[in-house]
Amino acid sequence: MTPQPPPVIALGQPTIGEPELRAVDEVFRSGWIAGNGPTGARFGAEFARVVGTAHALPVSNCTAALHLAVAALGAGPGDEVVVADYTFPATGHAVVYAGATPVFADVRPDTATVDPAAVEAAVTGRTVGIIAVDAMGQCADYAELQAIADARGLWLVEDAACASGAAYRGRPAGGFGDAACFSFHGRKGITAGEGGALTTDRDDIAAQARKTSAFGIESALTRAGTADLPIPEFDEIGYNYKLSDVAAAIMLAQLQRLPELVQARQAVAAAYGELLADLDLVTLPVTAPDRTHSWQSYVLTLDPSVGRGAVARELRSQGVQCNFGTYASHLQPVYEAGAACPVSADLFRRHLAIPMHANLGEADVERVATALRAAVLASR
């Protein structure tokens, strides 16, 4: 009999089951499955409570949340926004959507979060705001970044796409700056497959984002209780960025799981740390002492002498999924960026993401570590 290959260990995997199925069944039975419905309103209120902000607007994805935030803050043609360079390009795209220009700032070599000194150096007379990124699930240096924003009269947005369940100095991710933006994509710590949210303490941002997320008019739910037949008017261009109530129902169930999911990921990260601590040619990820890491990804830094492609091929041949970390945005041709970000560019070349999710068991983690060790040593 031909031996069967070992099961594939996924790079990322959602934790979903009966609670999510019950939530979907409930919203199906309610008759309202579209966006901006009662289930979405419940999720928004509950997410705001968990994050600790006055408002949370559920939207279709994090890119939509970023676009809404940047637009509500008034960025437009002729303006520059300083953006953390080491991030999925959705962060920079949101600035371009608003008509402004992203100016990329380099990152710290240890945490891969934006370097406050690089942010300050990137500010010009045309700068109107800053977008920091909670890289891999670890918050940026918000005390220093807020000080720069306040001193220069700039707004600050937190790209918390990867950071559900993370914290900075004891405060949950999503509560920093003028607004924050989350992703609920399938690889994130909590997920509805797709989805996102904008959180803020500012009433003006919340009101403008809520309006423009739904074509620029009030939702049908807000008009449902009126005695006559109100007909909304379109007085500005909006977008169709609503999150369906089906996805919102899943997110309500996922939000209940958040503490246990973060704890499970932290246990996986700790196990990797023990198993790989003595592995030459690999630097393990660092958690700053004043932060709680939510571990959306577990990303190693390979020595320059290690062939990342060869390591990746070997891991995949052993049924262990892997990937690069994320993008050095300034290197992407679409931006035609002139500034250099050498730390981000170096991480882009050397980062390797290995499996990280809440469903990994002890045997899975050991198998990943063993395969990685063999692949790295073979690359010498």
Side-chain angles (χ1 to χ4, degrees):
M1 180 180 293
T2 303
Q4 295 297 310
V8 171
I9 300 179
L11 179 66
Q13 190 177 79
T15 303
I16 51 177
E18 286 301 321
E20 289 75 20
L21 289 171
R22 287 194 298 270
V24 169
D25 181 69
E26 181 179 333
V27 78
F28 275 11
R29 293 176 185 279
S30 77
W32 191 312
I33 64 172
N36 273 351
T39 305
R42 283 173 50 213
F43 170 62
E46 184 62 12
F47 195 66
R49 184 192 68 78
V50 169
V51 172
T53 55
H55 307 279
L57 172 65
V59 291
S60 54
N61 52 64
C62 187
T63 311
L66 286 163
H67 182 197
L68 292 169
V70 171
L73 286 159
D79 294 332
E80 293 178 350
V81 177
V82 179
V83 177
D85 187 69
Y86 198 55
T87 178
F88 191 78
T91 314
H93 282 18
V95 176
V96 177
Y97 294 164
T101 300
V103 175
F104 297 106
D106 212 351
V107 298
R108 292 173 45 170
D110 55 351
T111 62
T113 55
V114 71
D115 183 345
V119 170
E120 191 149 33
V123 173
T124 72
R126 291 182 302 212
T127 305
V128 296
I130 302 164
I131 304 180
V133 176
D134 299 339
M136 319 300 171
Q138 179 163 208
C139 291
D141 297 291
Y142 287 108
E144 292 90 339
L145 293 169
Q146 190 64 63
I148 294 169
D150 291 344
R152 300 297 192 100
L154 309 174
W155 47 257
L156 174 62
V157 166
E158 176 188 2
D159 182 340
C162 299
S164 293
Y168 173 74
R169 298 184 178 179
R171 185 176 173 187
F176 302 100
D178 295 275
C181 304
F182 288 85
S183 172
F184 306 133
H185 177 266
R187 273 195 63 199
K188 300 301 186 284
I190 51 176
T191 180
E194 294 287 354
L198 183 155
T199 57
T200 183
D201 282 325
R202 287 182 50 175
D203 296 344
D204 58 337
I205 293 176
Q208 180 64 16
R210 192 173 300 280
K211 180 180 180 182
T212 51
S213 72
F215 298 105
I217 59 174
E218 289 186 354
S219 72
L221 183 64
T222 63
R223 293 178 269 123
T226 58
D228 56 0
L229 182 63
I231 301 176
E233 291 185 338
F234 292 83
D235 56 9
E236 65 177 302
I237 295 294
Y239 311 94
N240 185 12
Y241 285 166
K242 304 183 300 294
L243 183 73
S244 77
D245 266 31
V246 177
I250 296 171
M251 288 311 305
L252 277 168
Q254 285 277 287
L255 199 53
Q256 294 295 315
R257 293 182 186 258
L258 180 59
E260 67 185 72
L261 295 179
V262 171
Q263 187 176 24
R265 286 172 177 261
Q266 289 171 339
V268 171
Y272 277 145
E274 292 178 6
L275 292 168
L276 300 173
D278 65 337
L279 180 57
D280 292 340
L281 306 179
V282 169
T283 300
L284 303 183
V286 171
T287 301
D290 59 353
R291 270 149 252 207
T292 299
H293 205 312
S294 63
W295 296 108
Q296 190 266 329
S297 298
Y298 193 89
V299 181
L300 308 159
T301 308
L302 302 178
D303 187 85
S305 66
V306 174
R308 183 173 64 175
V311 171
R313 284 193 299 274
E314 180 59 24
L315 287 177
R316 288 169 175 166
S317 75
Q318 299 298 318
V320 175
Q321 291 186 349
C322 59
N323 208 342
F324 61 97
T326 191
Y327 289 87
S329 293
H330 76 287
L331 297 178
Q332 301 310 306
V334 67
Y335 295 121
E336 299 180 343
C341 298
V343 175
S344 178
D346 183 54
L347 296 179
F348 181 45
R349 287 189 295 267
R350 297 200 286 135
H351 265 176
L352 179 72
I354 60 175
M356 169 54 77
H357 51 84
N359 304 332
L360 290 168
E362 183 178 343
D364 297 319
V365 175
E366 290 179 354
R367 187 176 140 206
V368 172
T370 299
L372 178 69
R373 184 180 298 274
V376 170
L377 294 178
S379 71
R380 289 187 171 190

